[in-house]
mmCIF file of all heavy atoms in Angstrom:
data_model
loop_
_atom_site.group_PDB
_atom_site.id
_atom_site.type_symbol
_atom_site.label_atom_id
_atom_site.label_comp_id
_atom_site.label_asym_id
_atom_site.label_seq_id
_atom_site.Cartn_x
_atom_site.Cartn_y
_atom_site.Cartn_z
ATOM 1 N N LYS A 76 140.214 33.257 79.842
ATOM 2 C CA LYS A 76 139.167 34.262 79.993
ATOM 3 C C LYS A 76 138.002 34.004 79.025
ATOM 4 O O LYS A 76 136.995 34.725 79.103
ATOM 5 C CB LYS A 76 139.704 35.671 79.775
ATOM 6 C CG LYS A 76 140.686 36.163 80.838
ATOM 7 C CD LYS A 76 141.166 37.565 80.551
ATOM 8 C CE LYS A 76 142.109 38.016 81.618
ATOM 9 N NZ LYS A 76 142.579 39.436 81.389
ATOM 10 N N ASN A 77 138.205 33.022 78.176
ATOM 11 C CA ASN A 77 137.136 32.675 77.179
ATOM 12 C C ASN A 77 136.789 33.927 76.350
ATOM 13 O O ASN A 77 135.627 34.226 76.114
ATOM 14 C CB ASN A 77 135.873 32.129 77.907
ATOM 15 C CG ASN A 77 135.213 31.088 77.076
ATOM 16 O OD1 ASN A 77 135.738 30.478 76.146
ATOM 17 N ND2 ASN A 77 133.884 30.831 77.384
ATOM 18 N N THR A 78 137.808 34.654 75.995
ATOM 19 C CA THR A 78 137.611 35.910 75.268
ATOM 20 C C THR A 78 138.499 35.984 73.955
ATOM 21 O O THR A 78 139.582 35.481 73.968
ATOM 22 C CB THR A 78 138.051 37.079 76.217
ATOM 23 O OG1 THR A 78 137.199 37.069 77.396
ATOM 24 C CG2 THR A 78 137.972 38.436 75.535
ATOM 25 N N VAL A 79 137.945 36.567 72.948
ATOM 26 C CA VAL A 79 138.645 36.735 71.750
ATOM 27 C C VAL A 79 138.788 38.250 71.468
ATOM 28 O O VAL A 79 137.868 39.041 71.928
ATOM 29 C CB VAL A 79 137.956 36.053 70.573
ATOM 30 C CG1 VAL A 79 136.584 36.663 70.286
ATOM 31 C CG2 VAL A 79 138.796 36.124 69.292
ATOM 32 N N TYR A 80 139.811 38.685 70.866
ATOM 33 C CA TYR A 80 140.108 40.068 70.650
ATOM 34 C C TYR A 80 140.372 40.335 69.112
ATOM 35 O O TYR A 80 140.813 39.401 68.394
ATOM 36 C CB TYR A 80 141.365 40.540 71.342
ATOM 37 C CG TYR A 80 141.290 40.247 72.889
ATOM 38 C CD1 TYR A 80 141.919 39.117 73.393
ATOM 39 C CD2 TYR A 80 140.686 41.121 73.661
ATOM 40 C CE1 TYR A 80 141.866 38.901 74.755
ATOM 41 C CE2 TYR A 80 140.621 40.884 75.066
ATOM 42 C CZ TYR A 80 141.181 39.767 75.546
ATOM 43 O OH TYR A 80 141.161 39.531 76.914
ATOM 44 N N LEU A 81 140.064 41.502 68.688
ATOM 45 C CA LEU A 81 140.406 41.924 67.307
ATOM 46 C C LEU A 81 141.105 43.301 67.411
ATOM 47 O O LEU A 81 140.433 44.256 67.645
ATOM 48 C CB LEU A 81 139.232 41.990 66.414
ATOM 49 C CG LEU A 81 139.490 42.233 64.965
ATOM 50 C CD1 LEU A 81 140.248 41.082 64.285
ATOM 51 C CD2 LEU A 81 138.185 42.515 64.147
ATOM 52 N N GLN A 82 142.385 43.239 67.209
ATOM 53 C CA GLN A 82 143.115 44.549 67.141
ATOM 54 C C GLN A 82 143.101 45.048 65.697
ATOM 55 O O GLN A 82 143.578 44.370 64.780
ATOM 56 C CB GLN A 82 144.601 44.316 67.585
ATOM 57 C CG GLN A 82 145.441 45.529 67.527
ATOM 58 C CD GLN A 82 145.065 46.576 68.471
ATOM 59 O OE1 GLN A 82 144.747 46.327 69.653
ATOM 60 N NE2 GLN A 82 144.998 47.871 68.062
ATOM 61 N N MET A 83 142.614 46.212 65.552
ATOM 62 C CA MET A 83 142.397 46.826 64.202
ATOM 63 C C MET A 83 143.305 48.054 64.086
ATOM 64 O O MET A 83 143.031 49.026 64.868
ATOM 65 C CB MET A 83 140.979 47.138 63.921
ATOM 66 C CG MET A 83 140.035 45.915 64.124
ATOM 67 S SD MET A 83 138.352 46.273 63.573
ATOM 68 C CE MET A 83 137.869 47.501 64.796
ATOM 69 N N ASN A 84 144.247 48.071 63.239
ATOM 70 C CA ASN A 84 145.094 49.191 62.993
ATOM 71 C C ASN A 84 144.957 49.723 61.616
ATOM 72 O O ASN A 84 144.351 49.040 60.748
ATOM 73 C CB ASN A 84 146.563 48.827 63.184
ATOM 74 C CG ASN A 84 146.879 48.243 64.608
ATOM 75 O OD1 ASN A 84 146.257 48.685 65.561
ATOM 76 N ND2 ASN A 84 147.794 47.274 64.676
ATOM 77 N N SER A 85 145.403 50.887 61.354
ATOM 78 C CA SER A 85 145.352 51.545 60.036
ATOM 79 C C SER A 85 143.941 51.463 59.462
ATOM 80 O O SER A 85 143.740 51.098 58.282
ATOM 81 C CB SER A 85 146.331 50.889 59.079
ATOM 82 O OG SER A 85 147.675 50.924 59.490
ATOM 83 N N LEU A 86 142.979 51.817 60.332
ATOM 84 C CA LEU A 86 141.579 51.761 59.926
ATOM 85 C C LEU A 86 141.289 52.663 58.781
ATOM 86 O O LEU A 86 141.808 53.775 58.674
ATOM 87 C CB LEU A 86 140.701 52.044 61.099
ATOM 88 C CG LEU A 86 140.584 50.850 62.075
ATOM 89 C CD1 LEU A 86 140.132 51.325 63.448
ATOM 90 C CD2 LEU A 86 139.650 49.699 61.546
ATOM 91 N N LYS A 87 140.338 52.219 57.936
ATOM 92 C CA LYS A 87 139.916 52.995 56.767
ATOM 93 C C LYS A 87 138.367 53.186 56.830
ATOM 94 O O LYS A 87 137.691 52.421 57.512
ATOM 95 C CB LYS A 87 140.188 52.163 55.497
ATOM 96 C CG LYS A 87 141.642 51.736 55.351
ATOM 97 C CD LYS A 87 141.813 50.829 54.147
ATOM 98 C CE LYS A 87 143.283 50.349 54.008
ATOM 99 N NZ LYS A 87 143.444 49.476 52.794
ATOM 100 N N PRO A 88 137.874 54.225 56.215
ATOM 101 C CA PRO A 88 136.393 54.448 56.199
ATOM 102 C C PRO A 88 135.611 53.208 55.706
ATOM 103 O O PRO A 88 134.561 52.977 56.309
ATOM 104 C CB PRO A 88 136.270 55.573 55.228
ATOM 105 C CG PRO A 88 137.529 56.386 55.310
ATOM 106 C CD PRO A 88 138.582 55.313 55.531
ATOM 107 N N GLU A 89 136.210 52.419 54.832
ATOM 108 C CA GLU A 89 135.478 51.210 54.410
ATOM 109 C C GLU A 89 135.434 50.096 55.455
ATOM 110 O O GLU A 89 134.776 49.086 55.219
ATOM 111 C CB GLU A 89 136.089 50.688 53.097
ATOM 112 C CG GLU A 89 137.606 50.506 53.102
ATOM 113 C CD GLU A 89 138.354 51.722 52.530
ATOM 114 O OE1 GLU A 89 137.969 52.828 52.837
ATOM 115 O OE2 GLU A 89 139.301 51.441 51.767
ATOM 116 N N ASP A 90 136.120 50.284 56.568
ATOM 117 C CA ASP A 90 135.956 49.296 57.678
ATOM 118 C C ASP A 90 134.793 49.576 58.560
ATOM 119 O O ASP A 90 134.464 48.858 59.443
ATOM 120 C CB ASP A 90 137.291 49.393 58.541
ATOM 121 C CG ASP A 90 138.492 48.923 57.870
ATOM 122 O OD1 ASP A 90 138.425 47.874 57.132
ATOM 123 O OD2 ASP A 90 139.580 49.531 57.977
ATOM 124 N N THR A 91 134.032 50.711 58.298
ATOM 125 C CA THR A 91 132.880 51.072 59.059
ATOM 126 C C THR A 91 131.831 49.958 58.905
ATOM 127 O O THR A 91 131.456 49.598 57.751
ATOM 128 C CB THR A 91 132.402 52.381 58.540
ATOM 129 O OG1 THR A 91 133.337 53.409 58.855
ATOM 130 C CG2 THR A 91 131.039 52.711 59.294
ATOM 131 N N ALA A 92 131.384 49.497 60.010
ATOM 132 C CA ALA A 92 130.395 48.389 60.022
ATOM 133 C C ALA A 92 130.047 48.042 61.430
ATOM 134 O O ALA A 92 130.693 48.509 62.396
ATOM 135 C CB ALA A 92 131.016 47.130 59.339
ATOM 136 N N VAL A 93 129.029 47.188 61.585
ATOM 137 C CA VAL A 93 128.793 46.572 62.855
ATOM 138 C C VAL A 93 129.633 45.315 62.869
ATOM 139 O O VAL A 93 129.584 44.460 61.911
ATOM 140 C CB VAL A 93 127.271 46.221 63.064
ATOM 141 C CG1 VAL A 93 127.059 45.470 64.356
ATOM 142 C CG2 VAL A 93 126.494 47.534 63.009
ATOM 143 N N TYR A 94 130.434 45.113 63.939
ATOM 144 C CA TYR A 94 131.276 43.909 63.999
ATOM 145 C C TYR A 94 130.639 42.935 64.977
ATOM 146 O O TYR A 94 130.285 43.261 66.158
ATOM 147 C CB TYR A 94 132.650 44.369 64.473
ATOM 148 C CG TYR A 94 133.490 44.950 63.370
ATOM 149 C CD1 TYR A 94 133.144 46.235 62.850
ATOM 150 C CD2 TYR A 94 134.549 44.267 62.839
ATOM 151 C CE1 TYR A 94 133.878 46.776 61.854
ATOM 152 C CE2 TYR A 94 135.261 44.856 61.824
ATOM 153 C CZ TYR A 94 134.985 46.133 61.323
ATOM 154 O OH TYR A 94 135.698 46.673 60.304
ATOM 155 N N TYR A 95 130.518 41.657 64.509
ATOM 156 C CA TYR A 95 129.933 40.568 65.242
ATOM 157 C C TYR A 95 130.914 39.563 65.614
ATOM 158 O O TYR A 95 131.760 39.064 64.774
ATOM 159 C CB TYR A 95 128.837 39.937 64.453
ATOM 160 C CG TYR A 95 127.614 40.873 64.110
ATOM 161 C CD1 TYR A 95 127.641 41.617 62.982
ATOM 162 C CD2 TYR A 95 126.544 40.947 64.982
ATOM 163 C CE1 TYR A 95 126.594 42.439 62.623
ATOM 164 C CE2 TYR A 95 125.475 41.758 64.713
ATOM 165 C CZ TYR A 95 125.531 42.488 63.511
ATOM 166 O OH TYR A 95 124.516 43.336 63.213
ATOM 167 N N CYS A 96 130.833 39.124 66.841
ATOM 168 C CA CYS A 96 131.638 37.968 67.295
ATOM 169 C C CYS A 96 130.838 36.717 67.129
ATOM 170 O O CYS A 96 129.618 36.717 67.262
ATOM 171 C CB CYS A 96 131.898 38.185 68.832
ATOM 172 S SG CYS A 96 132.779 36.798 69.617
ATOM 173 N N ALA A 97 131.550 35.612 66.776
ATOM 174 C CA ALA A 97 130.891 34.312 66.627
ATOM 175 C C ALA A 97 131.719 33.214 67.176
ATOM 176 O O ALA A 97 132.956 33.364 67.281
ATOM 177 C CB ALA A 97 130.710 34.091 65.116
ATOM 178 N N ALA A 98 131.109 32.138 67.579
ATOM 179 C CA ALA A 98 131.859 31.003 68.189
ATOM 180 C C ALA A 98 131.255 29.692 67.771
ATOM 181 O O ALA A 98 130.011 29.619 67.466
ATOM 182 C CB ALA A 98 131.833 31.202 69.723
ATOM 183 N N ARG A 99 132.080 28.678 67.808
ATOM 184 C CA ARG A 99 131.623 27.330 67.479
ATOM 185 C C ARG A 99 132.430 26.351 68.320
ATOM 186 O O ARG A 99 133.563 26.622 68.770
ATOM 187 C CB ARG A 99 131.824 26.998 66.014
ATOM 188 C CG ARG A 99 133.179 26.961 65.501
ATOM 189 C CD ARG A 99 133.309 26.235 64.149
ATOM 190 N NE ARG A 99 133.149 24.792 64.311
ATOM 191 C CZ ARG A 99 132.166 24.073 63.829
ATOM 192 N NH1 ARG A 99 131.243 24.656 63.076
ATOM 193 N NH2 ARG A 99 132.090 22.785 63.975
ATOM 194 N N SER A 100 131.866 25.240 68.445
ATOM 195 C CA SER A 100 132.574 24.070 69.122
ATOM 196 C C SER A 100 133.011 23.129 67.988
ATOM 197 O O SER A 100 132.386 23.036 66.972
ATOM 198 C CB SER A 100 131.595 23.355 70.071
ATOM 199 O OG SER A 100 131.090 24.206 71.065
ATOM 200 N N GLY A 101 134.140 22.475 68.285
ATOM 201 C CA GLY A 101 134.589 21.473 67.346
ATOM 202 C C GLY A 101 135.288 22.118 66.115
ATOM 203 O O GLY A 101 135.449 23.296 66.015
ATOM 204 N N TRP A 102 135.781 21.191 65.315
ATOM 205 C CA TRP A 102 136.636 21.658 64.191
ATOM 206 C C TRP A 102 135.829 21.713 62.903
ATOM 207 O O TRP A 102 134.980 20.844 62.590
ATOM 208 C CB TRP A 102 137.787 20.670 63.977
ATOM 209 C CG TRP A 102 138.792 21.121 62.970
ATOM 210 C CD1 TRP A 102 139.830 21.978 63.215
ATOM 211 C CD2 TRP A 102 138.841 20.882 61.540
ATOM 212 N NE1 TRP A 102 140.553 22.198 62.016
ATOM 213 C CE2 TRP A 102 139.907 21.491 61.022
ATOM 214 C CE3 TRP A 102 137.986 20.029 60.754
ATOM 215 C CZ2 TRP A 102 140.218 21.451 59.684
ATOM 216 C CZ3 TRP A 102 138.283 19.946 59.414
ATOM 217 C CH2 TRP A 102 139.372 20.622 58.805
ATOM 218 N N THR A 103 136.152 22.714 62.077
ATOM 219 C CA THR A 103 135.609 22.788 60.716
ATOM 220 C C THR A 103 136.652 23.492 59.890
ATOM 221 O O THR A 103 137.337 24.391 60.402
ATOM 222 C CB THR A 103 134.265 23.535 60.633
ATOM 223 O OG1 THR A 103 133.875 23.581 59.247
ATOM 224 C CG2 THR A 103 134.401 24.881 61.208
#
Side-chain angles (χ1 to χ4, degrees):
K76 295 182 178 180
N77 216 18
T78 298
V79 65
Y80 306 96
L81 185 67
Q82 177 67 44
M83 304 187 294
N84 299 328
S85 302
L86 283 162
K87 305 174 182 179
E89 51 264 43
D90 294 317
T91 295
V93 177
Y94 283 70
Y95 295 91
C96 175
R99 64 162 287 116
S100 302
W102 188 87
T103 177

